[in-house]
Amino acid sequence: MQNLRLNPNLLNVPLYVAGKPIEEVQEEYGLTEVVKLASNENPLGLSALALAAFEHALKEAHRYPALGDRNLRRKLATLYNARHIAEFTQDNFLTGNGISDILRMLFESFIFDGGETVICTPTFPLYRILTTQFGGKCIAVPHKHYHHDLLAMLDAITPDTRLVVLCNPNNPTGTLITRDEVDAFMARVPPHVVVVFDESYFELVEDPNYSNAAEYIQQGRDQVLLLRGFSKVHGMANLRLGYALGTCAMIEYLHHAQIVFNTGDPVFYAAMAALDDHAHIERVRELIAAEKRYLYDGLSELDLTYVPTAANFILLVDLPRDAKCLYEELLKRGVIVRVPAGFGLPDAVRISIGTHAENEKFLHALRDVLRNPNGKPIIHE
Ligand SMILES: Cc1ncc(COP(=O)(O)O)c(C=O)c1O
């Protein structure tokens, strides 16, 4: 690499550390039964209707993607108009290879010649990673009792701020920004700043006071973008699809950063079927709600402190043991969780809510680790 001219921005990019794959843990620890509660995936998987639509569309796999993108955007417009009494069209939507890809387009479009991003810490690491990749500066504002400190975030805005990212519910804390808080924020945010609402987990939110960023877009505020996707409730994390909702002018601008054919038609058709499978969505929501209560009870019994969540993951804080050590002891017992160090919280553990059997295995393993800190795992498969 010595003679090559490298991009100095890239050399400063922190690498994203993903949740450990099941097969890797099986190999490393010689286990057959391993559960993964590390990446906030949908424990019930993909809807059967979505799978059928995906398979059907595969017969055109030899062709370049055609109308899948447009058809999905039309469907989203119809859905949002029914829900919000709005007048969105397909031109209000932009699709990408996961929300991650939408974020990439967004940061490429707004972070250049030294622009700044304001985020909360802890939060989803990609915001910081992308800011650095595009040569910007990331201002991370500490959380207030695990919630976004919106007043401090407003204070952190400078003339160079291009983006403020509000992750709602926030990953890894699971906390919510309410409608009133959004209204107060939007009343004060300067017009030169793009406000990005990352709502990856919105379908799981039960609180009726959840924010409604779509209303600001409906009112024609170019500076507001709403990001949602198909990786969580729709169980399509491995198929890669996300979208942004914004004013037509904003979406048209972002199109310039889109890579052509970034997602295939089978994925778009799976997504359309997933949106129609209300029974599957309801099953997922019910499972997460019930298992959240089960985990809260189990954690309380163990005297552990957690942050109440609006999403499908729970953050354990003020741990009685070192987080990394707890993580490793759980791995030995066949349970993969996450230490959200890259999110800005090296002293916590985040667990995703799984099926009942997976959560039971996690609580058993956790009990074993806490009661038997120096011993060998007493739980066998
Ligand atoms: C807050 C947040 N944003 C974005 C993503 C990435 O989503 P996608 O799979 O659609 O790229 C995740 C994934 O965990 C997330 O938690």
Side-chain angles (χ1 to χ4, degrees):
M1 302 291 279
Q2 257 172 11
N3 301 319
L4 306 176
R5 181 147 177 244
L6 304 182
N7 178 343
N9 297 330
L10 292 190
L11 298 174
N12 293 324
V13 173
L15 294 183
Y16 184 81
V17 182
K20 228 170 158 55
I22 290 179
E23 292 77 5
E24 200 175 296
V25 177
Q26 284 171 326
E27 257 175 46
E28 257 174 52
Y29 294 88
L31 298 169
T32 49
E33 212 190 288
V34 172
V35 301
K36 183 178 175 207
L37 300 176
S39 300
N40 305 342
E41 293 151 346
N42 182 337
L44 296 184
L46 183 66
S47 124
L49 296 183
L51 181 60
F54 182 84
E55 284 173 350
H56 182 74
L58 278 180
K59 65 182 184 339
E60 296 294 317
H62 58 295
R63 299 203 182 278
Y64 278 101
L67 293 182
D69 173 34
R70 186 205 68 182
N71 291 349
L72 174 67
R73 289 186 292 116
R74 281 189 180 171
K75 188 176 184 73
L76 288 169
T78 309
L79 279 178
Y80 275 73
N81 291 346
R83 232 184 269 152
H84 297 283
I85 325 173
E87 285 182 14
F88 295 129
T89 71
Q90 65 191 60
D91 298 332
N92 288 104
F93 294 88
L94 173 78
T95 60
N97 198 259
I99 292 179
S100 309
D101 184 38
I102 300 280
L103 286 165
R104 197 264 315 148
M105 292 181 225
L106 193 51
F107 281 72
E108 186 166 1
S109 303
F110 286 99
I111 300 297
F112 49 88
D113 58 23
E116 292 176 3
T117 305
V118 175
I119 59 168
C120 165
T121 181
T123 197
F124 188 55
L126 205 52
Y127 317 139
R128 178 188 289 280
I129 291 174
L130 287 165
T131 305
T132 318
Q133 259 176 14
F134 291 108
K137 185 171 154 199
C138 192
I139 313 290
V141 177
H143 67 91
K144 196 169 165 189
H145 309 300
Y146 299 103
H147 287 257
H148 282 75
D149 187 344
L150 292 172
L151 289 179
M153 288 179 80
L154 282 168
D155 286 345
I157 291 173
T158 73
D160 289 330
T161 306
R162 310 269 172 79
L163 299 169
V164 174
V165 189
L166 302 177
C167 186
N168 192 21
N170 190 30
N171 181 4
T173 57
T175 50
L176 216 59
I177 304 172
T178 64
R179 174 186 289 258
D180 292 346
E181 288 168 329
V182 170
D183 288 342
F185 185 87
M186 290 306 302
R188 282 191 51 197
V189 73
H192 71 279
V193 173
V194 176
V195 185
V196 184
F197 292 88
D198 180 341
E199 297 190 355
S200 295
Y201 302 89
F202 83 99
E203 297 98 331
L204 294 167
V205 175
E206 295 170 292
D207 189 332
N209 291 320
Y210 187 39
S211 93
N212 189 3
E215 281 171 13
Y216 287 92
I217 298 163
Q218 207 177 329
Q219 292 160 14
R221 293 276 286 265
D222 288 326
Q223 71 182 136
V224 178
L225 271 164
L226 174 58
L227 312 188
R228 291 177 171 176
F230 289 86
S231 295
K232 306 299 174 182
V233 161
H234 297 298
M236 290 174 46
N238 205 346
L239 297 187
R240 314 304 304 132
L241 182 61
Y243 64 92
L245 170 66
T247 62
C248 294
M250 171 59 100
I251 295 296
E252 208 275 320
Y253 172 59
L254 292 178
H255 262 296
H256 293 275
Q258 191 179 34
I259 289 171
V260 68
F261 304 132
N262 56 358
T263 303
D265 274 350
V267 178
F268 288 116
Y269 288 111
M272 281 183 259
L275 287 169
D276 283 337
D277 196 344
H278 303 291
H280 186 69
I281 298 170
E282 217 29 59
R283 267 196 300 277
V284 176
R285 291 166 56 132
E286 279 170 15
L287 174 88
I288 299 301
E291 288 305 312
K292 186 194 295 187
R293 285 191 295 276
Y294 171 69
L295 283 166
Y296 284 173
D297 288 348
L299 294 168
S300 302
E301 244 172 60
L302 290 169
D303 245 346
L304 290 170
T305 309
Y306 59 85
V307 182
T309 184
N312 65 341
F313 51 85
I314 303 174
L315 187 72
L316 311 190
V317 294
D318 302 331
L319 297 166
R321 300 270 305 275
D322 173 67
K324 188 94 187 20
C325 169
L326 199 58
Y327 164 80
E328 272 159 16
E329 289 299 319
L330 287 169
L331 274 188
K332 288 184 200 161
R333 290 156 175 87
V335 180
I336 314 171
V337 297
R338 193 85 160 260
V339 176
F343 296 62
L345 264 192
D347 303 328
V349 163
R350 192 197 67 190
I351 54 157
S352 306
I353 302 175
T355 60
H356 188 69
E358 289 170 337
N359 300 331
E360 212 171 19
K361 185 174 167 85
F362 160 70
L363 284 176
H364 267 94
L366 188 60
R367 228 170 263 133
D368 187 29
V369 175
L370 295 177
R371 291 193 183 143
N372 183 30
N374 302 314
K376 284 199 161 135
I378 54 171
I379 299 216
H380 298 293
E381 291 168 22

